[in-house]
Amino acid sequence: MEILAFGVQSDEKPLIEKAFAGKHDVRCLDVFLNRDTAPIAAGYEVISTSVNADLGGAVLQTLAAGGTQMIAQRSTGFNNIDLDVAERLALRVARVSYYSPYSVAEFAWTLAMAVNRRVIRAASRTRDFDFRLDGLLGRDMHGRTVGVVGTGKIGEAFTRIAHGFGMKLLGWDVAENPACVELGMRYVDKEQLLAEADLVSLHVPLLPATQHLIDKDALALMKDDAILVNSSRGGLIDTSALVGELRAGRFLGVGLDVYEAEAGLFFLDKSLEGVDDDTLARLVTFPNVIVTSHQAYYTEDAVGQIIDTTVKNVGDYLAGRHSDNVLVPARPGT
């Protein structure tokens, strides 16, 4: 069988080809799955998609009409998939329920420290042989308070790093993580966490209940000199409200690896086209903001685990096996 993989990055392609070698042929495309590209999948029983694929109802209809029966998404998140439509169309959908939490947690800390210590500004200056320290004043993390919103595997890894810095630990989640409690984390309500934390980092999934979890009211609760980091999903933050707060001179720094309207932008080269997203264009002009292109997961370790799990998901589908990675069975009882 030949598998069609959409949205494959150049670094990812040899890893995918190696993982599928001896099992199935794989055709890798650098284009993302959307309404325009969905017809390419005609005749492919199994396809693999990236986190920025459009798997809404219209695309799923096109895939099903073309003969696709199984979608293996190469990500943990699945907010881009209309699962109800997939179920009606008898499409089996699987994701990667686990990969290295350290990749995202470490990158979240990279963003936090980069905005705290003004690394981008400093590096830009020294390229011009400007070695002044004006405007580069940061602060110690030791002894300060971190608020971890979401204390699952990634949130726990982030907390362990914070503990290593010697920070006071606040957490918010629907259930307490015993490992975080053992590290000294104190669970509080979201409002208290936002009000007390010097650094807030988001590690919750994007669900209807968490859409714009950090809205105008939540931002208003935060300290004027707080740092906000989001390496989870862009829709957790009301970006327009965030821009408003930044324009008012608030926050020591903001590090964003995700953006709520990133589809059609992130993972693509738009440098010669320009971007008509006024909110994003304004966001990247603030000197205390760093925006990266959804790369927190992008390590050899994590990508390797994602691909290996994707290969397993395809094998499970062909063998009629079920696993915890399956979001939608192809048919009742599978």
Side-chain angles (χ1 to χ4, degrees), residues 246-263:
L246 289 164
R247 291 183 64 183
R250 301 190 65 224
F251 304 134
L252 176 69
V254 175
L256 304 175
D257 184 52
V258 288
Y259 172 61
E260 61 180 323
E262 69 182 53

Side-chain angles (χ1 to χ4, degrees), residues 108-128:
W109 268 108
T110 300
L111 289 175
M113 294 307 296
V115 295
N116 175 38
R117 301 306 301 270
R118 315 300 189 191
V119 173
I120 303 300
R121 181 184 296 178
S124 178
R125 282 184 182 179
T126 55
R127 285 178 181 271
D128 294 326

Side-chain angles (χ1 to χ4, degrees), residues 197-266:
D198 299 294
L199 164 62
V200 174
S201 190
L202 308 181
H203 301 287
V204 295
L206 181 60
L207 304 167
T210 59
Q211 178 74 29
H212 286 180
L213 182 72
I214 306 300
D215 57 13
K216 182 177 178 60
D217 292 338
L219 291 166
L221 292 171
M222 294 176 63
K223 295 180 178 180
D224 287 344
D225 61 350
I227 294 172
L228 174 63
V229 172
N230 186 11
S231 56
S232 184
R233 288 292 182 268
L236 299 175
I237 296 178
D238 182 340
T239 316
S240 295
L242 176 60
V243 168
E245 297 299 306
L246 289 164
R247 291 183 64 183
R250 301 190 65 224
F251 304 134
L252 176 69
V254 175
L256 304 175
D257 184 52
V258 288
Y259 172 61
E260 61 180 323
E262 69 182 53
L265 292 174
F266 282 22

Side-chain angles (χ1 to χ4, degrees), residues 9-333:
Q9 305 296 312
S10 58
D11 297 327
E12 190 183 11
K13 182 177 179 181
L15 300 177
I16 290 179
E17 292 175 339
K18 181 179 179 180
F20 274 104
K23 301 179 181 71
H24 305 285
D25 294 329
V26 60
R27 177 187 175 194
C28 294
L29 303 179
D30 59 2
V31 299
F32 295 99
L33 178 62
N34 54 39
R35 292 190 182 200
D36 295 329
T37 60
I40 300 174
Y44 287 91
E45 180 179 345
V46 177
I47 68 166
S48 178
T49 58
S50 64
V51 67
N52 265 12
D54 173 3
L55 286 162
V59 171
L60 293 173
Q61 292 276 4
T62 301
L63 293 176
T68 297
Q69 297 182 39
M70 193 269 180
I71 300 167
Q73 175 135 304
R74 303 187 306 278
S75 73
T76 297
F78 53 90
N79 54 284
N80 62 319
I81 308 172
D82 191 325
L83 299 179
D84 292 334
V85 173
E87 186 172 14
R88 288 201 302 270
L89 295 172
L91 288 168
R92 180 163 172 144
V93 180
R95 62 162 177 162
V96 177
S97 58
Y98 175 85
Y99 61 85
S100 168
Y102 309 107
S103 59
V104 179
E106 290 171 5
F107 193 81
W109 268 108
T110 300
L111 289 175
M113 294 307 296
V115 295
N116 175 38
R117 301 306 301 270
R118 315 300 189 191
V119 173
I120 303 300
R121 181 184 296 178
S124 178
R125 282 184 182 179
T126 55
R127 285 178 181 271
D128 294 326
F129 301 103
D130 178 354
F131 300 104
R132 293 172 301 154
L133 297 182
D134 294 343
L136 302 182
L137 188 67
R139 62 188 185 188
D140 293 357
M141 289 290 103
H142 179 83
R144 285 190 159 80
T145 300
V146 62
V148 186
V149 179
T151 56
K153 293 182 176 66
I154 296 173
E156 179 187 330
F158 184 91
T159 300
R160 291 188 181 279
I161 299 171
H163 181 262
F165 273 110
M167 301 187 75
K168 300 172 185 175
L169 310 174
L170 296 180
W172 178 85
D173 208 328
V174 294
E176 295 186 4
N177 183 333
C180 292
V181 173
E182 187 175 344
L183 291 170
M185 174 171 280
R186 182 165 55 96
Y187 280 84
V188 296
D189 60 38
K190 183 184 72 173
E191 290 72 21
Q192 183 177 348
L193 181 149
L194 294 173
E196 295 184 10
D198 299 294
L199 164 62
V200 174
S201 190
L202 308 181
H203 301 287
V204 295
L206 181 60
L207 304 167
T210 59
Q211 178 74 29
H212 286 180
L213 182 72
I214 306 300
D215 57 13
K216 182 177 178 60
D217 292 338
L219 291 166
L221 292 171
M222 294 176 63
K223 295 180 178 180
D224 287 344
D225 61 350
I227 294 172
L228 174 63
V229 172
N230 186 11
S231 56
S232 184
R233 288 292 182 268
L236 299 175
I237 296 178
D238 182 340
T239 316
S240 295
L242 176 60
V243 168
E245 297 299 306
L246 289 164
R247 291 183 64 183
R250 301 190 65 224
F251 304 134
L252 176 69
V254 175
L256 304 175
D257 184 52
V258 288
Y259 172 61
E260 61 180 323
E262 69 182 53
L265 292 174
F266 282 22
F267 305 144
L268 300 172
D269 181 2
K270 296 290 185 177
S271 60
L272 299 179
E273 303 174 31
V275 173
D276 59 4
D277 186 325
D278 292 339
T279 302
L280 179 61
R282 184 68 180 92
L283 188 64
V284 299
T285 64
F286 292 104
N288 58 334
V289 174
I290 294 177
V291 178
T292 52
S293 52
H294 207 141
Q295 70 181 81
Y297 78 98
Y298 206 54
T299 66
E300 292 180 5
D301 310 81
V303 171
Q305 291 169 0
I306 288 169
I307 292 170
D308 288 345
T309 301
T310 300
V311 173
K312 180 181 181 301
N313 287 342
V314 172
D316 286 346
Y317 159 74
L318 294 173
R321 294 188 297 263
H322 187 85
S323 78
D324 291 340
N325 295 323
V326 176
L327 297 169
V328 180
R331 55 190 176 278

